[in-house]
Each structure stands twice: as structure tokens, then as C-alpha cells.
Amino acid sequence: MINFSELREDFPILFQEVNDEPLVYLDNAATTQKPKQVLDALRYYYENDNANVHRGVHTLAERATVKYEGAREKVRAFINANESAEVLFTRGTTTGLNWLSRSYGDAFVNEGDEIVISFMEHHSNIIPWQQLADRKGAKLRYLSMNQEGFIDMEEAKQVINDKTAIVSIAHVSNVLGVVNPINELAKLAHDNGAVMIVDGAQSSPHMKVDVQALDCDFFAFSGHKMCGPTGIGVLYGKRPLLEQMEPIEFGGEMIDFVNLYDSTWKELPWKFEAGTPNIAGAIALGAAIDYLTAVGMENIHQYEQNLVAYVLPKLQSIDGLTVYGPQDVENHTGVLSFNLEGVHPHDLATALDMEGVAVRAGHHCAQPLMKYLDLPATARASFYFYNTKADADRLISALEATKEFFKNGAI
Ligand SMILES: Cc1ncc(COP(=O)(O)O)c(C=O)c1O
């Protein structure tokens, strides 16, 4: 049995006061906090092993390379990729999706082809496809969803058709907390000769991801949303597709031979990793994966769903508060967006911050979704496994106090 409240001790940042109140950090969809084990891995690397990778024959270079490539293998196991050559280190989800737009898209999407995304996508999974559609004369199409954020799969069967070249969908929405049916969408994509791309930014931190079981062709995610440092992320791709793709960046590390007027590339995965990579970041991401794996992704998922079962009904019972996304506990992950009648979400987030409760307010990098829902913005509380029922209680009481304040002009 994992004692989740003991795990909190691993996160030093959580033990501080904000505005004279103990911090309750509920902005985990934006970025998560880092356990000591990850901070130690970063420090250990710089104090003991720091050297450039793949270049030197000296001992430190060898050690840094072994650790960097070891981290790649940890990622492979974490997402159950077939081989570590299918794991490319990036800066994060955004970089991975941009690489796909540039490398896969420029090579394989033609005029008149269609790219299918949904109305709930993060800007990182919209703009690279808008740009690709512009470059190629392709058409961008959107899958709609119902009131609770479930994709309309009947409509999807029409929208995904033999003109579709790419389907790119978030595994979990960063606003609605809904889990999308990737398997079904991948089947529709594949039946129509399209590739299935998954934005895994909000799923990889919270549930067991198996890229082979999902049957996606590409899967992008960010280290900083799963206890790792910023500036490191992963793009997974199936080998036959990655082999056909050209690198996006050129320079050191990614070449085999450089002649005066042409060059050849290294094999996978290195042909995509030009320049000195984020070695420390990759190693620390490996430490984050060790940490998450030791706790167990199934345990994390179960713990977070128990928190949702605790907090969602409490939110729903606050008069004047609207929660967006699925209304039932089974289908709602720990990303909870809401609005309190008569209070702008920014004012709400500021009022909660006064109580030490950190939530996000705004469009959450999903302006088309806000337009679709006819909302200017929402407030968003997003939970991770180091949050507790006590944190949920603090959120609820701060919301009640804010409501009173805006009603009566005093807390
Ligand atoms: C669903 C989703 N996609 C993509 C991103 C972009 O991630 P990053 O900024 O780490 O590249 C985010 C980050 O908020 C996200 O929630």
C-alpha cells in the first residue's frame, strides 16, 4: 500500500506559506512540482558526470552518454514503445507536435488533404496544423463534442474519411478533464489511411500509457508535467514512419558524414536530435519516471480518481458554480474547470490565492474551446498525487468564502 500523504514529504516546495496560509498547489495541469529524487539527480549529474554525449572517449563523456541513453530506455519502458530508437527527446509536447507538422506534414500531406483535430485542443495542437494547412493547401477540420465534452463519434465517422491525412487529438483535455477515445479514433484514422497523433501532455503524468495498446503512430508529452524538469519532453513515433521522415534541425550530433555539398544522417533516434541535447533534463526525466514507476501509475490514477470522487460532488453542490466537462466521477480526471456566477475567473483565482490556494484562470491555451463553450475564461483546479482531501477541503472553503465576499462585500 502506498501512503500518498508520506509522498508529499518528497516535495519540499509544498511546505511553504503563501499569503500567510499553507500553500495548496492546484495548478498541476500547467506544471507539476519536483520531488527531491529528481532535484538530486540533476545536482548529482552536474556535480559528478557532466560532459557532452556521444562525442568523447573520456570517462565522464562515457558516463553522461550511458545515463542519457539509459533515460531513453526508461521512457521506452514507461510508454511501452517497441524500441528506444522510437523515443526522441524534445523540449516538450509543443516541440514534438511542431516537428510532426514540419517533418511528417511537409513530406506526406498534400493539397486537398484534410487534417482532423477537435475543438478542445491546446493551441500547441492547433497552430502547427493551421500552419501546415496553409503551407500545403490542406484543410483543417474539427471534431465537435457534446455538452460534457465527449467527442461525437458518429460525426467523427463522417469527418474522418479518405481525404484525411492526419488525426491529432489530446488524450486528456487540459480544460475539460475528459479522456478521449484514442483507440476508436486511431481505428478510424487507420481505416482511412491516416496517421494518429496523440497529444499526451495531460495523460502521461496521470495514467499508464501504452502506445502500442493505444495504437497511435505518434505520441508527444512533456517532462515538466510529470515531476521532471522544464525543457525536456518526448516524441514517440513508430519506426517505419520515423525512418521516412527528414530531420527538422541540422548540425552536430545528428550527422553521419558531412561532405562539402551534402551530408548523411545518423540512424534513429539521433538523426532528429541536432546539437547538444538537454542531457541533464533527460537524466532527470529518467529519475521522474523511476519515481512515478515506484509509486505505480495505476496507483496514481486510482488515488487521483478517489480525489475527484471527493471533490467533484462538493464543487457541484456550490450554488452558482458550474463545473465543465463530464459531470460524473468515472469520466472526469483531476482537471476541474469551473466558473462562479458573477465573479470573473481572474478575480476568483486572485481571491483563492489570497487563501493560499493556487489555481489557474484564463483560456488555458484553448481559445477555440472557450469560443465553442461561449465562455471568456474559466478557473481551473488541477490535482496530482501529492494533493490530499485536505487540499480539496481548502479549495472548497476558499470558494465558499469568495462567494460570500462577492455577495456581501466581506469575508
Ligand atoms: C493538452 C496540452 N497539450 C500541449 C501542451 C503544451 O505543453 P508544453 O508547453 O509543455 O509544450 C499542454 C500544456 O499545458 C497541454 O495541456
Side-chain angles (χ1 to χ4, degrees):
M1 263 296 266
I2 304 286
N3 184 338
F4 279 86
S5 41
E6 270 176 21
L7 295 181
R8 279 176 74 79
E9 309 285 327
D10 293 331
F11 295 80
I13 201 171
L14 297 177
F15 297 88
Q16 62 175 292
E17 296 205 335
V18 167
N19 295 319
D20 298 329
E21 299 287 347
L23 169 67
V24 173
Y25 183 78
L26 294 176
D27 194 16
N28 294 290
T31 199
T32 58
Q33 302 304 349
K34 324 302 173 199
K36 279 185 284 197
Q37 290 82 341
V38 169
L39 304 175
D40 288 348
L42 273 174
R43 190 175 183 91
Y44 185 94
Y45 168 74
Y46 279 124
E47 281 185 351
N48 296 278
D49 302 327
N50 181 46
N52 214 326
V53 288
H54 303 137
R55 290 180 191 181
V57 287
H58 62 81
T59 303
L60 262 55
E62 178 61 19
R63 260 196 249 145
T65 304
V66 166
K67 285 200 165 179
Y68 179 69
E69 291 304 327
R72 199 189 303 278
E73 171 54 26
K74 288 178 187 180
V75 174
R76 185 210 64 73
F78 187 69
I79 59 172
N80 192 31
N82 203 27
E83 47 172 323
S84 58
E86 295 178 325
V87 171
L88 315 181
F89 283 123
T90 63
R91 277 193 298 131
T93 311
T94 306
T95 308
L97 294 168
N98 275 278
W99 281 13
L100 290 173
S101 161
R102 275 282 172 198
S103 178
Y104 184 85
D106 282 0
F108 298 109
V109 173
N110 299 308
E111 193 176 343
D113 284 354
E114 296 184 353
I115 303 158
V116 176
I117 60 175
S118 82
F119 282 107
M120 74 177 90
E121 300 310 317
H122 187 282
H123 295 161
S124 296
N125 196 27
I126 300 175
I127 309 166
W129 310 121
Q130 291 177 344
Q131 294 283 309
L132 174 63
D134 275 356
R135 288 197 298 276
K136 290 301 191 131
K139 186 174 167 192
L140 188 57
R141 299 192 66 181
Y142 285 82
L143 296 179
S144 39
M145 59 262 185
N146 69 10
Q147 257 333 92
E148 292 190 88
F150 296 112
I151 287 181
D152 181 342
M153 290 305 290
E154 283 313 304
E155 186 206 57
K157 287 178 192 155
Q158 310 302 318
V159 175
I160 301 171
N161 58 43
D162 59 5
K163 288 191 184 146
T164 311
I166 290 174
V167 179
S168 189
I169 302 287
H171 196 180
V172 172
S173 162
N174 67 315
V175 180
L176 302 172
V178 67
V179 184
N180 286 318
I182 298 301
N183 274 108
E184 284 172 64
L185 290 163
K187 181 157 187 353
L188 284 179
H190 294 151
D191 286 350
N192 287 286
V195 291
M196 181 73 215
I197 297 173
V198 180
D199 170 351
Q202 297 295 344
S203 63
S204 54
H206 303 283
M207 58 183 66
K208 174 79 197 130
V209 166
D210 180 331
V211 289
Q212 296 189 68
L214 286 174
D215 198 21
C216 56
D217 298 293
F218 300 99
F219 188 96
F221 60 102
S222 302
H224 70 96
K225 293 187 195 285
M226 45 183 280
C227 296
T230 50
I232 187 77
V234 170
L235 175 62
Y236 156 83
K238 284 183 182 161
R239 177 185 268 278
L241 294 167
L242 292 176
E243 296 236 325
Q244 292 172 54
M245 287 160 53
E246 284 295 306
I248 300 89
E249 290 183 308
F250 304 89
E253 300 269 356
M254 53 78 67
I255 50 87
D256 194 6
F257 288 106
V258 179
N259 307 309
L260 279 184
Y261 299 105
D262 57 18
S263 305
T264 55
W265 322 140
K266 268 192 189 153
E267 58 193 10
L268 287 175
W270 303 292
K271 77 170 180 182
F272 287 101
E273 295 178 3
T276 302
N278 183 354
I279 306 165
I283 292 168
L285 174 59
I289 286 177
D290 286 343
Y291 187 90
L292 294 175
T293 307
V295 180
M297 291 311 293
E298 275 86 6
N299 294 332
I300 287 174
H301 185 61
Q302 196 47 55
Y303 177 83
E304 288 179 22
Q305 289 314 111
N306 288 345
L307 272 183
V308 174
Y310 183 75
V311 73
L312 180 60
K314 287 186 193 287
L315 284 170
Q316 286 165 325
S317 66
I318 297 177
D319 217 21
L321 189 137
T322 308
V323 183
Y324 303 102
Q327 296 300 306
D328 62 306
V329 168
E330 280 80 61
N331 287 299
H332 208 130
T333 62
V335 178
L336 296 146
S337 291
F338 49 84
N339 268 316
L340 190 56
E341 201 178 1
V343 185
H344 192 280
H346 281 123
D347 294 336
L348 183 55
T350 305
L352 294 182
D353 186 54
M354 295 309 294
E355 306 276 318
V357 179
V359 302
R360 175 99 172 242
H363 53 63
H364 314 294
C365 300
Q367 286 179 2
L369 175 63
M370 293 296 122
K371 198 157 177 235
Y372 190 79
L373 299 174
D374 199 18
L375 296 170
T378 74
R380 180 186 70 187
S382 49
F383 288 76
Y384 208 16
F385 61 86
Y386 43 67
N387 291 121
T388 58
K389 286 185 178 166
D391 290 347
D393 288 339
R394 289 273 309 281
L395 169 69
I396 299 297
S397 57
L399 281 168
E400 299 278 14
T402 306
K403 196 180 139 187
E404 283 310 300
F405 175 79
F406 278 91
K407 205 162 74 187
N408 305 326
I411 292 189

